[in-house]
Each structure stands twice: as C-alpha cells, then as structure tokens.
Amino acid sequence: MAGSTRSARLFLCARARCRDQVLLCSHCDHGQLYCSRACSFASRRERRREAAKRYQNSRIGRLKHAARTACWRQRQRSQRLASASGDIDKVTHQGCPGAPADASLLACQADPSSACELNSPTESAPNAEPAAAAPGPYVAPVCRHCGRPVLPHVRLSWLRGNGGRRRSHHDHPT
C-alpha cells in the first residue's frame, strides 16, 4: 500500500430519506452509519417521534395523556375562576377571515418575442444522432471526511477488530 493512500469502506447512509453513498478511509472510519451529523440527528428525531407515537397508542400512554389533560383543564378552570371578571370568552372556532388584500399585478417588462423563443422547440437536423458524451478524466476516489486519496478497491464492511479491547501479553498464544 502506498504511503498516502489508504483502504476505504463504501456504505449507504442509513437514513431512509438520504441513502447517500459514503466513502471513508480506514483512519476516519469509526463504524459510522450516517453520511453526516445532520442525517444522524434527523434519523434520531424520527425514531424518537415513532417511539412517542407507539407509546401514545399504548394503554399506559393513553391513561397518562388523559391524566395530563385533566390536570391542564383543572389549571385552566382555576385560572378562569381567579380572574377578576370571571367571564372569559370561550373560543371554539376561528374568526371570520379578513377582507382580501387589494393587490394589483404589474405588467411584465419582458420582450414579447422572447416568450415565443422559450416555447419553440430547438431546431435540429432530421436524422441527426445525439453526440456521445466524451469520457472525462479519471478522478481518484477520496475520503469524504478528510479528503485524502484512497485505494480504488473499497471494502463494503468494517475492518475486523479485536472486540474493542487491546491485546496484552497474556492474550498471545505460547
């Protein structure tokens, strides 16, 4: 292996909405599952929301929600009674919508002939074949985190470790 190139791991971001391809060198690879901190935080937020929804749909969740609501209603009732007038309007519906704003449209300043040019199809030769795209220069793969070049042959799994512990002289076979 050359001095400046390292082995790399290629993986897809674990966030269902992202699924971006990520290439990390062996130095920067710490078993990441997400392409960025933003995807990690968004995925965590989504999982927490799903867990909260499951809890709210359970029997215990419904009972606790009902108890919280009853306490809130009691606080609202006591605030109404403690108010000076004691007659607070209950609002159960939205009010009437306001009158729409009087907005007038400004005339378009564009040249009318330019609109026709945008809508007309481009002229081409009747039997012309599209030109094949010329292959671009080879771009060496680089680590997404540090930007260093990596070997073109990538791993699809983690490097094997020793279970997260360092080997001591007692672990070596005799």
Side-chain angles (χ1 to χ4, degrees):
M1 176 163 73
S4 64
T5 56
R6 299 175 175 167
S7 68
R9 176 172 67 103
L10 177 70
F11 66 97
L12 294 179
C13 179
R15 185 168 179 232
R17 294 182 185 174
C18 179
R19 305 298 290 174
D20 191 19
Q21 282 189 345
V22 182
L23 187 64
L24 291 178
C25 69
S26 58
H27 181 73
C28 298
D29 186 9
H30 300 289
Q32 291 94 328
L33 298 176
Y34 302 101
C35 63
S36 65
R37 285 188 186 266
C39 269
S40 175
F41 291 149
S43 181
R44 174 72 177 139
R45 187 173 47 249
E46 290 167 4
R47 288 194 315 265
R48 281 180 35 207
R49 187 174 292 135
E50 290 168 4
K53 188 175 182 178
R54 280 192 311 271
Y55 177 73
Q56 286 289 345
N57 288 332
S58 71
R59 178 172 168 73
I60 294 172
R62 279 187 252 128
L63 290 173
K64 289 195 176 193
H65 184 78
R68 275 193 311 275
T69 305
C71 289
W72 178 80
R73 287 181 179 158
Q74 179 61 37
R75 283 195 309 271
Q76 296 298 314
R77 197 172 13 257
S78 63
Q79 286 176 358
R80 265 196 315 272
L81 295 175
S83 68
S85 67
D87 187 28
I88 297 177
D89 292 335
K90 291 185 179 179
V91 180
T92 58
H93 299 287
Q94 291 183 348
C96 297
D102 184 25
S104 58
L105 298 175
L106 299 175
C108 181
Q109 301 296 330
D111 184 21
S113 64
S114 65
C116 294
E117 291 172 4
L118 292 176
N119 293 332
S120 65
T122 57
E123 295 182 23
S124 61
N127 292 328
E129 293 184 20
Y138 173 74
V139 178
V142 295
C143 174
R144 178 178 278 195
H145 187 261
C146 66
R148 291 186 181 177
V150 296
L151 294 173
H153 305 289
V154 296
R155 290 177 279 110
L156 299 178
S157 62
W158 294 281
L159 288 172
R160 290 184 186 173
N162 57 0
R165 63 185 177 94
R166 294 177 183 245
R167 295 186 80 176
S168 67
H169 66 280
H170 297 292
D171 292 339
H172 292 292
T174 56

